[in-house]
Amino acid sequence: LSVPVFRVTKTVATDAFDALYQKLKPDGVTVSALLAKACAIALVKTPLINAAYGASGTIDYNDHVNVAQAVALDGGLITPTLRDADKLSLTDLSAAWKDLVGKARSGSLK
């Protein structure tokens, strides 16, 4: 089975993002949570990016918006997944991410 792969890059100004982070940081919101939420919103707005090709060549749209981010470990990287990131608040995403990072680094991620 050959799966098509493509990459898209774009340079963006992050001044507004940085200002929002500075505003929310005292509430425990992390940069990782902000990035996950931005990705989740983008995936909701463009569901084709969150879809997959079905076995018969159809496009299967996902019912969930899950966002994985890399965590550096001594032996490499692991990518825990924030499930239903589009439905979680920023503070809930931050708490979930901190929990996943802790589990990844302690080796108890399932």
Side-chain angles (χ1 to χ4, degrees), residues 13-96:
T14 62
D15 298 341
F17 181 91
D18 297 339
L20 179 61
Y21 171 63
Q22 291 305 319
K23 180 180 175 185
L24 297 174
K25 184 178 178 181
D27 297 328
V29 174
T30 63
V31 169
S32 294
L34 276 174
L35 290 171
K37 191 64 165 182
C39 289
I41 291 168
L43 290 170
V44 168
K45 288 184 178 182
T46 49
L48 185 60
I49 295 174
N50 193 34
Y53 284 108
S56 63
T58 59
I59 296 176
D60 297 336
Y61 291 91
N62 289 309
D63 294 329
H64 300 277
V65 175
N66 302 323
V67 177
Q69 295 186 56
V71 174
L73 302 176
D74 288 336
L77 293 173
I78 191 167
T79 53
T81 301
L82 290 161
R83 301 203 181 277
D84 295 313
D86 60 319
K87 294 180 177 71
L88 296 175
S89 70
L90 283 170
T91 52
D92 289 343
L93 272 174
S94 292

